[in-house]
Amino acid sequence: MLKLFPFTLFLLTVSLHAQRPQRGESGSAPQSIHITGTVLDRDTDQPLEYATLVLRDVQDPKKITGGITDADGKFDVETTPGTYNVSIEYISYKTYKLDNQTLNTSKDLGTIHLGTDVQQLSEVEVVGEKTTVEVRLDKKVYNIGKDLTTSGANISDALNNIPSVTVDVDGTIALRGNDNVRILINGKPSAMAGFGSTDALRQLPADAIEKVEVITSPSARYDAEGTAGILNIILKKEKTLGFNGSINTSVGYPNASSITSNLNLRTDKFNIFNTLGYFYREPPGKGYFDNTYTSGTFDRIIEDRDILRRDLGYNINLGIEYFLTDKSSLTGSVFGRFTDEKDVTENNTTRYILSDINSTTFRKEEQKQDDKSYQVSLNYTNNFNPEGQKLTADFQYSYDKEIQPTTIVENNTFPNNNLLARENIYETQLENEFLIQADYVLPIGDSQFEAGYRGNFQKNDTDYQLDTLNQNTGQFETNIQLTNRFVYDQNVNALYSQYGNKFGKLSFLLGLRMENTQLKGNVSGVDLTALQDILGPDISLDFNKNYLGLFPTLNFTYELSDMENLSLGYNRRINRPRGYFINPFPSRSSRTNVFQGNPDLDPAYANAYDLGYLRRWQKLTLTSSIYYQKETNAFERIQEETGQSTSDGIKIIRSLPINLSTNERIGAEIGLMYNPEKWLRLNGSFNFFQFHSKGFFNNVDYGAKNTSWFSRFSAKVTLPGKIDWQTNGFYRGPSQNAQTKSKGIFSLDLAFSKDILGDNGTISFNVSDLLNTRKRNSFTETAFFTSQSEFQWRSRQFTASFIYRINQKKQTDRNRQRNGGGEDEEFEGSK
C-alpha cells in the first residue's frame, strides 16, 4: 500500500488541477473570475500572511469559497460570477466586510488595511513583549517575547521555557519527555546546533532567537530523523528598512559575562545581517555517588566530585541577502564558533570493606577542549508569481574540529600516600557535513502541491589515544587495546512530495517522504583480534549498511469557529544511531566505569499520532493534545559487568546502548496563556506521559514501565514605576527506566527589568535556579551493584544585563512575529 502512495498523490494532484477551468477556457462550467487584493497591518503597513478571504454566496449561503494570503499579504481567489458577502479575517484583528457585492468579472479589491481588535488585545504595544503561540497544520510556533528570565542567557536556557520542551541538568533536550528530538536552525541541520550534541546551544545567546517551532507531527518536507519530533529555532533577521539592531551585555555570579550584537542593514536591494558574540563562564557543578557491590574486593565505594569549568568563546554569523529581482533573491552567510574550554573534576573516593574504611583516593581529571566550527550557507529563492509558486535551493557546508587533551592523576591518600595511576588521553574529532536541498511549491487554485530533494552527507573521524604511566620505568606507554581511530559516515538521500488543500472548514496536508540511509564504519590502529574477542563474533567492526524507508505524514485541521479548531496528525519517524553510540572503543569517565558503543545498532522506527484542540477567548488561549507513539528497535543504555577489575580490585562496569524490541508512549498536554489585565500575564502548561519498553539482552529483561509528568508556570507583573517582574517555576515528576529511578526536580527563576533611555534600553536582573534545587537524584539497581547519586550541572546563577536597541522600538517585534523569518513555510490552512 505504501508503495502506491506517491503515485496516488500525483494522480490526485493532476486530477484536481485538470478539473479546474483555466482562464479563457470555454465549456459547460461557468466562466471563472479572480478576486485579488493585498492585506496589510493598518499601523505598520506590514503584510499579514495567512489572513483569510471568505466569499459567501448571497443566494446560497451554504456555498462558500475563499483562500488565504501569502507572505506578501496577497490573495488571488478563483470563483464563479455572482453576488457575495465578502469578509477578510485575521485572528486578533477586526474583520473587514463588504456585503452584497455583485462580482461578474475579475476584480482587484486593492489594498485592505486591518486594525487590531482592542477587545482581543489589551494594548497593541505589549504584543511584542509576550510569548504568543500560533497553531498550524503540523506545528506550534512560539514567538519569543520579552522573557526576562533568559536575558543574558543562552539558547538552551530559552528552550527550557517552551511548553512541551525540557532541558535536563546536563543539557539533554527532550520533547514531551523523549530526548530523541531533532534540532534545526532556520529549518536545516546546522553547526550552530552542534553535531550529535546540544552543547553548542549553550554557547549562543538567547536574544538571537525570533521564534521556536515545536513540530510534533512533522510534514514530509522535514527530515524523518527524530522520533520525538523537531525543534526548529528561527533566528532574527530584521525586515524593516534602514540600519537597526541591538547590543546586549551581561555580567553574573558565579563568574559569567557576555556581549552580543545583532545588527541589520536593509535597503531595497540588499539586506546585511550580523550576530557577533563573546562569552566567558565559570559554572561550578558537583556530583555524589554511593555505590554498593555484591562481589569484589570492596563492599561500598563513595565518590564525591567537584566540577570546575572555564568556558570562553566567540561566535559570529554574517550574511547578506541580495534581491536579484522583485521576485528572487540570493542569500549567503558564514558562521564561525571558536571556544577554549577547561573542565577540572576532583573526585574524593572512600572505599569500605563491610562498614570499615579500607582506603581513600583522590582523582583529578583535567580536560581541555579547543573547538573550531565553521559553516557556509547559500540560498536561492524565486517567487514566480503572487499565487505562491516558489522555488528554493540550498547548499550548506559545515566543519567542526575538536581537540581534547585530558590528564588524569589518581593517588592513594589513606592509609598510604602513593600514586595509583597517571594517564594522558589525546582525542581529536573531525566532522564534515554537506547539505544539498531543493524545494518547489506549486499552488493549484486553493490547494498547494510541493516536492523536493535533500541530500545530507556527514563524516565523523575520531582519533583516540590513551597513554598510561609505567611506574617501574617512569615512561608513558600507549594502551594498544584502547587506542584507535574510528571513521563513521552517515549519508541520507531523500525525496518527498506533499499536497494540501482546504474544503470549507477542513484543511489537510498529505505527504510522503522516501529516505535512503547509508551507515559506514571503519576501525583502524588497534588490535582487531583482541577487540573482536571483547565484542563477540556476531558484531562487525567494519560495516556498510543501507536502509530504505517510506515515511508518510497526514495532518488535518478542522475549524469549529474563528477561535477554535481541532487537529489530527500521523507521521512515521526514524532514529539513527549517532557515531558516539556506534563507536566500539571503550572510553572511560573513570577507571571503573566505561562507555562502549555498539556497532551492531540498527535504526529505530516510530509511528506517532497526535490529536490537538485550540480555543481562544478574549484574554485566554488554550492549547491541548493527546498523543501516542510506538517505537520498534528502540535504543536503551544498559549497565553490565565487563568481567575485568582494576589493579586495586574494583570491578569495571560498562554502559552499552542496545536495540530493545518496543517502546510505547502515550500522553496528554495542556497549555494556557491568560492576560486578564495590561499589567498581568500568566502562562502555564502541564504534560503527562507514560512509556512502556520491552526487550531482553544477554538473557536479562530490560523492560520497564514508567509514568511521569512535568509542569511549568510563568507570571509576569508590571509594578509601579513600569518595573516588570517575572517568575518562572518548573517541576518534573519522578521517572525510571529498566535500571534507574530518578526523583522529581523543581526549579524557580526570578527576574526584574525596567526600560530606560526612552524605551531604547532595558536593564534587567535575574536569578536562575533561585532555590538551588536543579539537581538529579537517581537510584540504579542491577544484579551486581546499586548506586545512589546526586548530580548538579550548574549551581544557582545571578545575572545583570543591559540591552540597547538601535533604531528599533519594541513595537517592531510584532512585525517580526507576523512576518516570520523561517526557511520552511508550509501550506497553512488554519492559524
Side-chain angles (χ1 to χ4, degrees), residues 293-360:
Y293 298 84
T294 58
S295 61
T297 304
F298 302 105
D299 297 294
R300 183 184 182 192
I301 298 177
I302 294 178
E303 298 182 32
D304 193 357
R305 299 180 187 176
D306 286 317
I307 306 170
L308 307 174
R309 303 185 186 91
R310 187 215 63 194
D311 301 338
L312 181 152
Y314 306 84
N315 59 77
I316 181 172
N317 185 37
L318 176 63
I320 180 170
E321 181 179 11
Y322 184 75
F323 305 106
L324 301 172
T325 68
D326 59 345
K327 297 180 180 179
S328 62
S329 66
L330 187 65
T331 304
S333 65
V334 178
F335 168 78
R337 183 181 66 246
F338 316 96
T339 63
D340 181 10
E341 302 178 21
K342 179 181 177 181
D343 292 355
V344 178
T345 303
E346 296 180 345
N347 191 347
N348 286 285
T349 302
T350 305
R351 305 170 183 177
Y352 294 84
I353 296 180
L354 297 178
S355 59
D356 298 325
I357 297 177
N358 174 268
S359 60
T360 60

Side-chain angles (χ1 to χ4, degrees), residues 236-250:
K236 291 178 180 176
K237 188 172 65 173
E238 186 60 61
K239 292 183 176 291
T240 54
L241 295 176
F243 177 71
N244 48 70
S246 64
I247 298 176
N248 194 338
T249 62
S250 68

Side-chain angles (χ1 to χ4, degrees), residues 428-529:
T428 301
Q429 294 187 41
L430 299 176
E431 301 207 31
N432 288 275
E433 184 172 11
F434 289 90
L435 172 72
I436 303 172
Q437 180 176 339
D439 299 283
Y440 177 69
V441 179
L442 176 65
I444 308 172
D446 299 336
S447 63
Q448 180 171 293
F449 175 77
E450 183 174 347
Y453 162 80
R454 175 178 287 190
N456 196 271
F457 312 98
Q458 183 177 343
K459 183 175 184 177
N460 185 317
D461 189 339
T462 302
D463 199 341
Y464 183 91
Q465 178 178 327
L466 172 64
D467 291 351
T468 304
L469 178 67
N470 185 326
Q471 297 189 48
N472 294 324
T473 64
Q475 302 294 319
F476 281 94
E477 298 176 352
T478 299
N479 185 328
I480 61 172
Q481 289 186 333
L482 295 180
T483 298
N484 65 87
R485 183 181 178 188
F486 180 63
V487 179
Y488 177 62
D489 292 89
Q490 178 178 286
N491 302 320
V492 181
N493 287 280
L495 291 169
Y496 81 92
S497 66
Q498 61 185 26
Y499 173 78
N501 205 341
K502 182 176 182 180
F503 297 104
K505 296 183 177 182
L506 178 66
S507 304
F508 66 86
L509 186 61
L510 312 178
L512 182 68
R513 188 176 186 91
M514 181 177 67
E515 291 191 350
N516 182 77
T517 302
Q518 181 187 39
L519 306 178
K520 295 171 56 179
N522 177 262
V523 173
S524 62
V526 71
D527 186 341
L528 296 179
T529 302

Side-chain angles (χ1 to χ4, degrees), residues 70 72 325-328 380-392 439-443:
D70 62 15
D72 297 319
T325 68
D326 59 345
K327 297 180 180 179
S328 62
Y380 171 75
T381 300
N382 193 333
N383 296 290
F384 294 102
N385 53 47
E387 286 75 24
Q389 186 179 4
K390 181 179 180 181
L391 172 67
T392 60
D439 299 283
Y440 177 69
V441 179
L442 176 65

Side-chain angles (χ1 to χ4, degrees), residues 585-623:
F585 296 99
S587 61
R588 47 184 168 177
S589 57
S590 71
R591 292 190 303 130
T592 59
N593 291 278
V594 301
F595 176 85
Q596 187 167 15
N598 181 2
D600 205 35
L601 273 184
D602 291 319
Y605 295 90
N607 290 284
Y609 306 83
D610 191 290
L611 176 64
Y613 172 74
L614 167 72
R615 179 71 165 92
R616 299 179 192 268
W617 290 270
Q618 182 176 340
K619 297 180 179 181
L620 177 68
T621 299
L622 179 148
T623 60

Side-chain angles (χ1 to χ4, degrees), residues 85-103:
N85 290 330
V86 181
S87 64
I88 297 176
E89 304 168 357
Y90 193 78
I91 289 178
S92 300
Y93 282 73
K94 292 181 179 179
T95 299
Y96 174 88
K97 294 183 178 181
L98 288 173
D99 291 334
N100 294 310
Q101 298 295 303
T102 301
L103 304 174

